[in-house]
Amino acid sequence: MTEHAIVADSLLKRYGRVTALRDASFAVKKGTITGFIGRNGAGKTTTLKIVSTLLDADDGTCHVLGDDVRRNEYSIRGRLGFLPDSFELPSTLTLREYLGIFTELYPIARGDRKRRIDTTLQLTRTEELADRRLHALSRGEVQRVGLARALIHNPEVLILDEPAAGLDPHARVELKELLRLLRERGKTIFLSSHVLADLEEICDELVVIKKGTVIFSGDIAGFRRQMRSTTRWRLSAVSRAISLPSGLRGEVVESGPTSIEFEGDLTAAERARWIADLVARGIDVCEVTPLRSTLEQEFAKAVEEEEEMEAAS
Amino acid sequence: MIAILHYALLKGTRDKSTVIFLLTPITMVVASLIGVVVASGHPSFPLYYSLDWTPAQNASQVAFISTMCTVCFASLSGFWMFRSEVATRAIGSFVLAKRPIVIILAMIVHSSAIAVLSWIPAIAAARVLTGAAPPDTVRLTLAVIVISIASSAMGAMFVMISAQPQMLIGAYCGSCFFLPFLVLESNRPKVMMLAVVTAVLSTTIATFLLERRCTT
């Protein structure tokens, strides 16, 4: 329990006749960035709200930093920062005033408030917005302001619901940098996102949810293993066609006049033998590149497999 | 609670709603008195609602108008303070930082304080313009305080039910319910009791709904 910041066990949540979560179990390790992926309506926001103590599950348990979300919600709230998927800011206040209110709300000692606001502004790169009123902000600025608010009380756990939604590429890079920095500072970050390429870059762990059921919880390598993901290898020569030696486990998925793409789990020895064989036959090999499947492809595969299993049953 | 009051004060000052709530009762008192005098065609000072009434009776009527206005605007102010936050669910960030009961109590304290602060200049204007003090001002002040708290609580409850502007009608009607009884001095203790019960009930319901509102 102590090495996990969040432990959810058999969560069930119904909205009327619709079951949003069923038997959802997962764990988020302390000091990691854990991505939460699933299609729209899969139950991500419901789960994040339960973890954030804003929603009660109908059944199952959820512990955040060792505290039960039902019994100790007020203790958890002070140690947790939550960025919802959509929110409004008071347009008549400046960012500094807005954060100032939250330093009073949490409550942060009077003498520390200014320093805390300055640190948060710096961390979220919102210094230039500090004395501007919170209206006519871009989507990226709104997200950064939301993050500043979620971070103002220096929480141990940060729950982010679609923080990258609507951000331009530059803002996404900044967000990723910020999340890495927060992880370095020991924060636990649990975030949902549809931008799987970004998650793949920054996440240590992954929770995959489909139709309210968690179908995977663990590290990304484990997800690839579960998906029996194989690496695709691209071999190219300068002028001659590349042939495939016998006895290799896998299949050719694409071949051109001087290149070949082969999908299969090749050991280092098998790769070396293949290349040596090609060179021995005078084939001028100039490129051997592993092309790993993206998280997006793996996720699509996972969803497809689940659907096939459902259809079969 | 101080933080939420600070937020409400900042927000109310910037969007000018606090000024409107503060000035409405005195504006109503002054405008209605001037209106009656101009319409009657007998301009004289002190001002009056009816020339057949004594200054004390006129002052009493003016006090009723300002009390009505104050009580109604207390519910309006209770409804208004966090309306946009409730409508956009931004209230969730406050709920994460403070217990719902603290937020609701802050809403009520803020609205009732504005109501009472708006009532004082209105009564002072009544005293000056009618040339007589409204009768039993101390007890009336106490009644205004209690009923303003009840009205503010109702405003907070109605905004938690729904942040749609039409819900204001409910808050407005609820607060108006106390007024006819308030006129009859013999009924004031009963009205005060009813106001206290309403305040407690509305606060409880508003707190429950606030916790629920963040979760849907």
Side-chain angles (χ1 to χ4, degrees):
Chain A
M1 180 74 81
T2 49
E3 70 176 49
H4 288 114
I6 302 167
V7 180
D9 187 26
S10 308
L11 292 176
L12 173 80
K13 181 67 191 175
R14 288 197 185 95
Y15 297 108
R17 288 180 183 176
V18 179
T19 304
L21 285 181
R22 59 165 74 85
D23 202 24
S25 303
F26 61 90
V28 174
K29 281 185 191 156
K30 276 185 182 169
T32 60
I33 300 179
T34 301
F36 192 28
I37 61 175
R39 285 180 168 180
N40 288 334
K44 297 190 298 294
T45 299
T46 298
T47 308
L48 294 182
K49 280 192 168 180
I50 290 172
V51 172
S52 307
T53 76
L54 287 173
L55 184 62
D56 282 338
D58 295 330
D59 200 8
T61 59
C62 182
H63 288 83
V64 177
L65 299 166
D67 284 326
D68 190 323
V69 293
R70 280 192 196 176
R71 291 189 193 137
N72 304 94
E73 73 260 45
Y74 298 117
S75 151
I76 292 170
R77 286 174 185 178
R79 302 160 74 191
L80 176 141
F82 178 55
L83 179 72
D85 55 347
S86 64
F87 55 93
E88 293 282 325
L89 298 166
S91 59
T92 52
L93 266 59
T94 67
L95 175 55
R96 195 178 286 282
E97 287 167 341
Y98 185 55
L99 294 179
I101 296 292
F102 279 87
T103 59
E104 291 176 46
L105 280 169
Y106 266 105
I108 293 163
R110 191 178 287 269
D112 289 341
R113 286 179 193 163
K114 192 184 174 303
R115 186 182 51 79
R116 185 67 69 83
I117 292 170
D118 289 338
T119 309
T120 309
L121 290 172
Q122 201 181 10
L123 189 66
T124 52
R125 295 184 183 165
T126 44
E127 297 109 313
E128 78 279 8
L129 301 176
D131 299 309
R132 250 177 71 186
R133 293 211 178 163
L134 298 171
H135 64 88
L137 299 181
S138 69
R139 173 74 186 166
E141 288 170 336
V142 169
Q143 286 297 83
R144 280 189 287 153
V145 169
L147 263 174
R149 187 192 61 205
L151 286 166
I152 192 71
H153 58 301
N154 196 20
E156 294 164 61
V157 176
L158 204 53
I159 311 282
L160 312 174
D161 195 359
E162 304 283 355
L167 297 188
D168 62 41
H170 179 68
R172 272 167 42 199
V173 169
E174 284 190 344
L175 177 69
K176 282 186 278 185
E177 278 173 19
L178 172 61
L179 296 180
R180 284 195 190 102
L181 181 66
L182 291 170
R183 175 176 55 191
E184 277 169 28
R185 295 185 180 188
K187 311 276 181 223
T188 304
I189 300 160
F190 187 37
L191 79 158
S192 71
S193 179
H194 287 296
V195 189
L196 304 191
D198 286 350
L199 287 184
E200 189 168 22
E201 262 183 63
I202 57 167
C203 287
D204 308 293
E205 305 246 316
L206 208 58
V207 176
V208 185
I209 189 166
K210 185 180 165 278
K211 290 184 182 169
T213 306
V214 172
I215 57 172
F216 178 80
S217 173
D219 59 16
I220 293 179
F223 183 56
R224 287 185 189 284
R225 276 197 300 278
Q226 181 169 313
M227 290 295 103
R228 295 174 301 282
S229 123
T230 49
T231 306
R232 186 181 286 198
W233 294 90
R234 185 211 301 274
L235 273 78
S236 303
V238 176
S239 56
R240 295 178 59 185
I242 291 179
S243 58
L244 191 69
S246 58
L248 281 188
R249 286 168 288 112
E251 58 175 335
V252 176
V253 286
E254 220 175 297
S255 70
T258 61
S259 67
I260 193 166
E261 280 189 21
F262 176 83
E263 198 169 274
D265 281 325
L266 294 178
T267 62
E270 282 173 327
R271 284 201 309 271
R273 218 168 25 246
W274 186 8
I275 294 163
D277 178 55
L278 292 171
V279 172
R281 286 195 282 124
I283 298 170
D284 40 5
V285 179
C286 62
E287 181 196 5
V288 181
T289 316
L291 305 168
R292 300 194 72 185
S293 55
T294 62
L295 190 58
E296 208 156 319
Q297 288 165 329
E298 297 293 356
F299 174 65
K301 204 162 113 187
V303 170
E304 259 173 44
E305 279 185 12
E306 286 282 324
E307 277 169 358
E308 277 168 19
M309 277 165 65
E310 265 173 32
S313 64
Chain B
M1 187 183 288
I2 301 293
I4 299 166
L5 291 174
H6 184 193
Y7 176 74
L9 196 67
L10 262 177
K11 209 179 141 209
T13 311
R14 296 277 164 78
D15 69 10
K16 312 278 191 298
S17 58
T18 303
V19 179
I20 293 166
F21 292 135
L22 280 172
L23 293 182
T24 302
I26 189 171
T27 309
M28 289 280 277
V29 164
V30 174
S32 62
L33 278 169
I34 292 173
V36 169
V37 170
V38 169
S40 67
H42 297 285
S44 64
F45 191 84
L47 306 182
Y48 53 86
Y49 279 155
S50 169
L51 278 170
D52 299 333
W53 292 346
T54 63
Q57 283 174 315
N58 277 309
S60 173
Q61 282 304 304
V62 175
F64 176 70
I65 296 273
S66 62
T67 302
M68 183 183 80
C69 196
T70 298
V71 167
C72 292
F73 270 75
S75 67
L76 214 154
S77 159
F79 184 91
W80 194 257
M81 178 185 159
F82 267 105
R83 196 189 86 83
S84 63
E85 285 78 1
V86 171
T88 61
R89 295 182 187 173
I91 193 84
S93 55
F94 289 86
V95 171
L96 281 173
K98 276 279 173 270
R99 294 183 184 223
I101 181 73
V102 177
I103 297 171
I104 296 295
L105 287 176
M107 289 168 79
I108 295 168
V109 168
H110 174 257
S111 312
S112 350
I114 287 181
V116 174
L117 285 175
S118 70
W119 186 77
I120 293 167
I123 285 297
R127 168 74 183 84
V128 171
L129 296 176
T130 60
D136 208 4
T137 312
V138 176
R139 279 193 198 170
L140 188 61
T141 308
L142 187 65
V144 165
I145 292 170
V146 174
I147 294 173
S148 293
I149 291 171
S151 293
S152 302
M154 275 195 286
M157 181 184 73
F158 276 101
V159 78
M160 291 304 158
I161 293 170
S162 168
Q164 294 292 321
Q166 58 264 35
M167 289 305 285
L168 261 176
I169 297 167
Y172 184 79
C173 290
S175 55
C176 285
F177 173 77
F178 294 111
L179 293 169
F181 300 101
L182 196 62
V183 182
L184 304 167
E185 285 189 34
S186 58
N187 274 337
R188 272 191 197 155
K190 284 181 194 164
V191 177
M192 302 273 264
M193 280 303 294
L194 188 65
V196 170
V197 172
T198 306
V200 172
L201 265 177
S202 302
T203 305
T204 310
I205 295 169
T207 305
F208 171 75
L209 292 174
L210 173 56
E211 186 90 54
R212 293 277 305 160
R213 188 151 263 284
C214 304
T215 67
T216 51

